[in-house]
Amino acid sequence: MFKRIPYLVLIIAFQFCSLAGKNNLPDIGFLTFLSRMTGKPTTNAVTANTCLTYAKTVNSTSSAGTNNSYTCIYKPDSISMECVYTTPVTEDNTATTTKTDFFNSTEDFIQRTKNFAQSTVRYSQINKDIATNKFFQYDTSNRLIGIIQSDGTSISISEYDTQNRYTKGVVNPPDIICQVPFVNSYDDANLSFKQSISFSKLIPSTNLLCNFLSTVVPDQTNEYFFDKDFLLTKRILTKGSTVTTETYTTVETAELCAGSDGTPYSAPIIQKFSSSGGAVGETVSITGVNFDTDPGRNSIQFANGTKTFGSTATNTSLSFIVPVGASSGQITVVNRFGTAKSKTSFYVYKYFIYAGNANSNSVNGLEINVVDGSLMNPISLAIGNQPGNIIANLNGKYAYVINQGILAVNSVVIGISNGFLSNIGSANAGNGARSAAISYDGKLLFVLNQIDNTISRFYIDSNTGSIVSIGTPTPTGVTGPNAIAAHPSLPFLYVTGIGSLNVAGFIMDTTTGNLHSMQGSPFAISAPPNGITIHPRGLFLYTANASMTNSVSRLMIQQLTGALSGEIFYSSVLEESLAMDSLGKYLYACSNANNQINSYLVNQADGSLTSIGFVSSNQCKTVVVDPSGKYVYATEDVGGGSGKINKFSIQPTGSLIANGFIALGTNNPRGLTISRTPQ
């Protein structure tokens, strides 16, 4: 753990500044589309079959007597830099000879390699870097303000220089009540960078473990020196009284792509998909560069050879409709500029919707047709006792049925081609099991027990989908718990307390499954919260409030701690549950008492809401939005009468219009979930 503390700071501060490129690289053909943008001519154009390459070879010699060399190659098809070491390097106690860094775009790569002062360049995602499993937070000025590592270590940044490079901050080790201060300084005139980490100044110093840390881990200082071309020449590492000097020599090479007319260009680059995949008939967008603006001149080929063509296109965006016969895997785009292959797999899905029917002890399932929103190919499974709620695993292969009548949770396997459910076992839950949530990594299931006022915890077997109970249920710490929700990308869990006008927050240990109450929890709000949902970007939490002050509340989620604050209160009708589309553009609130669904437009900057009307939906208890973002479905439970799933189409404004229903007889559907099942 001690190795991770300095390394985490260094990898952010140094990696953003040490992968250096020459000031005149555009003139020698580096990342040649830049030459196109600036109108600079090139004299070393190569054939159209040769696409952009960049390589850097580094040799290092240490005063400690060790030597190493590594070669880094920029890979445009995956927008990454892969470095191969002659001697393995050890980081976080893991020895490796190959390291790969991913970039948000080619433009990010240019900034990161051309100027070590560009210390706020983003990694592969704005909030989450899936390659290194670190989370990055930025403010509206693109300043890096915080980092969270998967082991729980976090960095908080407090001061910046005039170029928005961070100069002071603290490292927060996991499970230790102390902070490690660090200071960065930048010498632009002499092209050097310095970082000092002060274990001797741990805050607070009264904690026994903090005092122990400060005595066994020496203060550390790293100094990096660059030449006029921003290539690393020397590093001096000081640990206590031990000083190690490393010297570096670097050689760079670059080449161009050019068309038959000699004009330089880069082959197309696939940066990311608008979604991890789509169902047949669904429109999906690719973000990248060098797409042909004539959509029909971009060929999209799937892993099994099935092809289609673009439906709309710009130079940086390409949309297509998932064709019949497409299979999951990497996607290839071919146009007159060249060929690009996605760095990640594109998944072809089927979307299945499932309703838990408390009165008939069954679950109904249907496939969603994304072309018109119709529900087809019905299936049914008799299961448990009073199955009220149901939740699908993130991988789309399994679902979990919450049985209120027998205090249990049933695990089911979802059939890939037809959505058929097969029961694979059950585990005990608490009294009044009501709702459930799955951790962002899909490894933990949490079930809220309303009568016991506890949270049951379960491990999810990723291979079989079965669940195993973890220890004694955790008290919620609120009165009248009603709904539970997990953060989409961080280890945070929230429970509404309808009897105490607050929301409880927990930090989950994804290794042990234990829950730890957040500092300041429970968080007070203005009305008794009923339902709950979280914005897909994880920045905002919303509650459906059931009281005389019928309303919806928006709260900000502090990304480093999970704490809730800044409530905005919207008067409305009595609300039961909430749902958002996958992009977080619209919020839909289901009102059982008022027989309607209320629609809201979501401000992406601050999460605030603007009402855009309502639509009738009889006895609405649960509402969900399909993954394509085109349709809304809601249960109609009339207490022994004819249960239904009501369908609605989402208009360009976000408002809803009725799109029919499907009758479920006397099943009385209450819980709804949608599974994205890969084919």
Side-chain angles (χ1 to χ4, degrees), residues 81 297 310 331 438 449 497 526 544 550 574 580 616 620:
M81 173 75 83
R297 297 181 68 179
I331 278 183
I438 293 177
N449 307 307
S526 302
N550 305 323
L574 189 151
M580 300 191 83
S616 297
C620 179

Side-chain angles (χ1 to χ4, degrees), residues 203-268:
I203 307 168
S205 58
T206 55
N207 181 272
L208 180 61
L209 184 53
C210 292
N211 285 328
F212 172 76
L213 254 179
S214 65
T215 60
V216 299
V217 182
D219 291 350
Q220 300 174 14
T221 300
N222 273 274
E223 294 180 84
Y224 300 95
F225 300 85
F226 305 85
D227 66 14
K228 63 182 178 62
D229 294 319
F230 298 116
L231 299 179
L232 182 65
T233 60
K234 182 170 62 175
R235 180 178 82 128
I236 301 176
L237 171 61
T238 303
K239 287 187 177 182
S241 59
T242 303
V243 180
T244 303
T245 301
E246 298 172 342
T247 57
Y248 296 83
T249 58
T250 302
V251 177
E252 291 185 308
T253 58
E255 63 182 344
L256 296 173
C257 293
S260 57
D261 59 357
T263 304
Y265 62 80
S266 296

Side-chain angles (χ1 to χ4, degrees), residues 477-479 495-504 522-529 543:
V478 297
T479 302
V495 174
T496 59
I498 195 170
S500 52
L501 282 75
N502 52 31
V503 178
F523 306 100
I525 65 173
S526 302
T543 61

Side-chain angles (χ1 to χ4, degrees), residues 133-153:
N133 206 20
K134 295 184 180 72
F135 300 84
F136 300 87
Q137 291 87 36
Y138 298 85
D139 64 14
T140 55
S141 300
N142 280 336
R143 296 190 309 183
L144 184 68
I145 60 175
I147 307 155
I148 301 175
Q149 186 168 286
S150 56
D151 68 352
T153 301

Side-chain angles (χ1 to χ4, degrees), residues 294-585:
D294 180 348
R297 297 181 68 179
N298 297 283
S299 170
I300 299 98
Q301 181 171 312
F302 294 82
N304 63 351
T306 298
K307 292 182 181 179
T308 189
F309 295 92
S311 53
T312 61
T314 66
N315 181 260
T316 58
S317 178
L318 173 64
S319 297
F320 64 92
I321 298 172
V322 181
V324 174
S327 67
S328 299
Q330 290 175 288
I331 278 183
T332 301
V333 172
V334 180
N335 61 23
R336 60 194 173 96
F337 300 133
T339 301
K341 180 173 285 188
S342 62
K343 64 176 180 275
T344 57
S345 290
F346 179 89
Y347 293 96
V348 177
Y349 294 109
K350 283 189 176 181
Y351 302 148
F352 300 108
I353 188 169
Y354 298 98
N357 307 308
N359 283 13
S360 62
N361 298 331
S362 67
V363 172
N364 285 115
L366 302 111
E367 183 180 345
I368 298 174
N369 183 338
V370 300
V371 175
D372 60 9
S374 60
L375 302 178
M376 54 190 184
N377 304 325
I379 61 101
S380 180
L381 174 69
I383 190 168
N385 188 346
Q386 298 179 36
N389 210 327
I390 182 169
I391 184 170
N393 201 328
L394 304 179
N395 61 17
K397 298 178 180 179
Y398 314 108
Y400 304 95
V401 182
I402 314 304
N403 297 286
Q404 299 173 345
I406 57 173
L407 314 182
V409 180
N410 282 89
S411 307
V412 295
V413 174
I414 298 173
I416 291 177
S417 61
N418 56 13
F420 187 82
L421 300 179
S422 302
N423 191 0
I424 57 174
S426 64
N428 292 332
N431 195 13
R434 177 176 177 86
S435 61
I438 293 177
S439 61
Y440 70 95
D441 57 5
K443 296 179 179 178
L444 298 168
L445 171 69
F446 301 96
V447 176
L448 178 62
N449 307 307
Q450 195 171 47
I451 296 175
D452 287 349
N453 203 353
T454 60
I455 303 169
S456 295
R457 297 166 289 123
F458 304 89
Y459 284 121
I460 298 175
D461 188 315
S462 60
N463 295 317
T464 66
S466 59
I467 56 176
V468 177
S469 179
I470 304 172
T472 303
T474 302
T476 67
V478 297
T479 302
N482 193 70
I484 189 169
H487 193 284
S489 58
L490 291 169
F492 303 148
L493 188 72
Y494 301 93
V495 174
T496 59
I498 195 170
S500 52
L501 282 75
N502 52 31
V503 178
F506 299 89
I507 298 174
M508 62 181 78
D509 184 325
T510 55
T511 301
T512 65
N514 293 331
L515 295 175
H516 307 281
S517 183
M518 292 176 183
Q519 186 174 359
S521 176
F523 306 100
I525 65 173
S526 302
N530 195 346
I532 187 172
T533 195
I534 298 175
H535 192 281
R537 288 193 291 134
L539 301 177
F540 317 110
L541 180 146
Y542 301 88
T543 61
N545 304 322
S547 71
M548 295 299 292
T549 57
N550 305 323
S551 62
V552 172
S553 292
R554 184 233 65 177
L555 298 108
M556 301 282 290
I557 300 177
Q558 214 288 337
Q559 298 292 284
L560 294 177
T561 66
L564 303 178
S565 62
E567 180 189 13
I568 300 178
F569 186 82
Y570 301 91
S571 295
S572 181
V573 297
L574 189 151
E575 308 289 12
E576 181 87 8
S577 62
L578 299 168
M580 300 191 83
D581 66 292
S582 60
L583 298 179
K585 295 167 58 178

Side-chain angles (χ1 to χ4, degrees), residues 8-9 11-13 15-16 101-102 112 119-139 143-150 153 155 157 166 489-490 537 539 559-560:
L8 178 61
V9 181
I11 196 66
I12 301 305
Q15 289 274 347
F16 279 126
D101 285 323
F102 291 91
R112 183 167 160 181
S119 60
T120 59
V121 179
R122 289 185 172 98
Y123 264 31
S124 59
Q125 294 184 18
I126 289 184
N127 288 320
K128 180 180 179 184
D129 175 3
I130 58 173
T132 59
N133 206 20
K134 295 184 180 72
F135 300 84
F136 300 87
Q137 291 87 36
Y138 298 85
D139 64 14
R143 296 190 309 183
L144 184 68
I145 60 175
I147 307 155
I148 301 175
Q149 186 168 286
S150 56
T153 301
I155 290 178
I157 299 167
Y166 56 95
S489 58
L490 291 169
R537 288 193 291 134
L539 301 177
Q559 298 292 284
L560 294 177

